[in-house]
Amino acid sequence: TILYMLAIASNGLLLLVITMDIRLHVPMYLLLRQLSLLDLLFTSVITPKTLLDYLRRENSISFGGCALQMFLALTLGGTEDLLLAFMAYDRYVAICHPLNYMIFMRPRVCWLMVATSWILASLSALGHTMYTMHFPFCMSLEIRHLLCEIPPLLKLACADTSRYELLVYVTGVTFLLLPLSAIVASYTLILFTVLHMPSNEGRKKALVTCSSHLTVVGMFYGAATFMYVLPSSFHSPKQDNVISVFYTIVTPALNPLIYSLRNKEVMGALRRVLGKYVLPVHPTQ
């Protein structure tokens, strides 16, 4: 409950600050705003249902509800996965090609990145949800997992799922390892550029910005790779639940804090917005 409230408050506040402060209407913060929106929606798909089940002592979900939850989780998770790769490209252009930044990252390109992330993730999620839910579930009706996800549901199927498991693995590699490779390549080039910067202040600012992004990337991709790329022999219900809690509840709560607390521009914008709309000062005459 505490983590969910933190995720709602921190992501909502970051969304408000980036929207209200015109100084943050640049490509980097446009992508960051999308990340906050995704985190807010992602945790809201899972956590309220989990909390209600705990309070009511009724750990049940309908077949349609399970399919909807799976589709939304896969869509939001896949979109965030691709968006993080585009954010790495944004940092690469900003640091390695600063003079051409507003050409390579003009608003139309940014919105194309966002739309591409949403569309590809939605199509993949729709296909996986429909195919997963078409299996007959006659072995058990108990999902030993925090939410409706592909790996725990396939364990309940009484049909041969080996080919589909291979497809899930291939999709996982495509959606996770390819963007991760692009992120690693971007930050390798960034590192070489930063090390050759003459200004210590510029070098420090670039490293702080990039380290925040790499922290988020490590948390998200580490958990998602464990769930969707590692073979089923490496999985256990207890382990899978811990990993799911991490990337559906913990990570969305921490992401805005990681980005905002170490970012002077965001903290400055936060003070301006709070000072203007929350704590107005009326000087005495």
Side-chain angles (χ1 to χ4, degrees), residues 234-247:
F234 286 83
H235 293 253
S236 70
K238 187 175 182 179
Q239 260 184 337
D240 288 355
N241 267 321
V242 172
I243 296 296
S244 294
V245 167
F246 193 80
Y247 70 79

Side-chain angles (χ1 to χ4, degrees), residues 1-8 10-11 38-51 80 146-147 219-220 223 241-257:
T1 304
I2 293 171
L3 283 171
Y4 181 60
M5 291 172 65
L6 177 62
I8 294 294
S10 56
N11 283 293
L38 286 167
D39 282 335
L40 196 153
L41 294 175
F42 196 11
T43 190
S44 296
V45 167
I46 312 300
T47 315
K49 174 76 171 72
T50 306
L51 293 175
E80 182 166 339
L146 179 70
L147 69 149
M219 291 193 303
F220 180 82
N241 267 321
V242 172
I243 296 296
S244 294
V245 167
F246 193 80
Y247 70 79
T248 60
I249 301 175
V250 178
T251 303
L254 296 181
N255 279 356
L257 300 180

Side-chain angles (χ1 to χ4, degrees), residues 63 132-141 153-154 156-158:
F63 185 86
T132 301
M133 302 306 285
H134 99 283
F135 285 111
F137 299 108
C138 54
M139 294 183 67
S140 170
L141 293 178
L153 280 175
L154 291 183
L156 307 182
C158 53

Side-chain angles (χ1 to χ4, degrees), residues 18 21-32 90-91 101-102 105 110 265:
I18 295 174
D21 196 299
I22 196 169
R23 300 182 198 183
L24 300 185
H25 292 183
V26 293
M28 172 184 172
Y29 295 108
L30 169 65
L31 298 177
L32 181 56
D90 169 74
R91 292 299 83 210
Y101 180 67
M102 292 312 296
M105 293 299 297
C110 291
E265 292 177 342

Side-chain angles (χ1 to χ4, degrees), residues 120-276:
L120 290 179
S122 298
L123 292 175
S124 175
L126 181 62
H128 277 299
T129 301
M130 291 177 66
Y131 203 84
T132 301
M133 302 306 285
H134 99 283
F135 285 111
F137 299 108
C138 54
M139 294 183 67
S140 170
L141 293 178
E142 182 182 357
I143 305 169
R144 299 184 64 190
H145 199 55
L146 179 70
L147 69 149
C148 289
E149 274 192 293
I150 297 173
L153 280 175
L154 291 183
K155 293 178 182 178
L156 307 182
C158 53
D160 180 19
T161 61
S162 56
R163 289 185 179 180
Y164 180 56
E165 286 180 28
L166 178 61
L167 178 62
V168 171
Y169 171 78
V170 171
T171 308
V173 169
T174 304
F175 259 81
L176 291 170
L177 298 190
L178 285 182
L180 184 58
S181 301
I183 291 171
V184 171
S186 296
Y187 279 102
T188 302
L189 295 172
I190 288 171
L191 182 61
F192 284 131
T193 302
V194 168
L195 291 176
H196 290 89
M197 280 183 174
S199 167
N200 285 332
E201 186 178 345
R203 189 184 303 126
K204 183 180 178 182
K205 183 179 180 181
L207 288 174
V208 166
T209 303
C210 295
S211 63
S212 299
H213 187 208
L214 285 174
T215 302
V216 172
V217 166
M219 291 193 303
F220 180 82
Y221 278 91
T225 300
F226 183 91
M227 280 299 295
Y228 286 98
V229 176
L230 289 185
S232 57
S233 57
F234 286 83
H235 293 253
S236 70
K238 187 175 182 179
Q239 260 184 337
D240 288 355
N241 267 321
V242 172
I243 296 296
S244 294
V245 167
F246 193 80
Y247 70 79
T248 60
I249 301 175
V250 178
T251 303
L254 296 181
N255 279 356
L257 300 180
I258 293 169
Y259 273 108
S260 61
L261 292 179
R262 302 182 65 187
N263 189 310
K264 292 181 180 179
E265 292 177 342
V266 172
M267 294 304 294
L270 176 61
R271 284 191 289 269
R272 287 192 296 273
V273 170
L274 291 179
K276 185 175 181 180

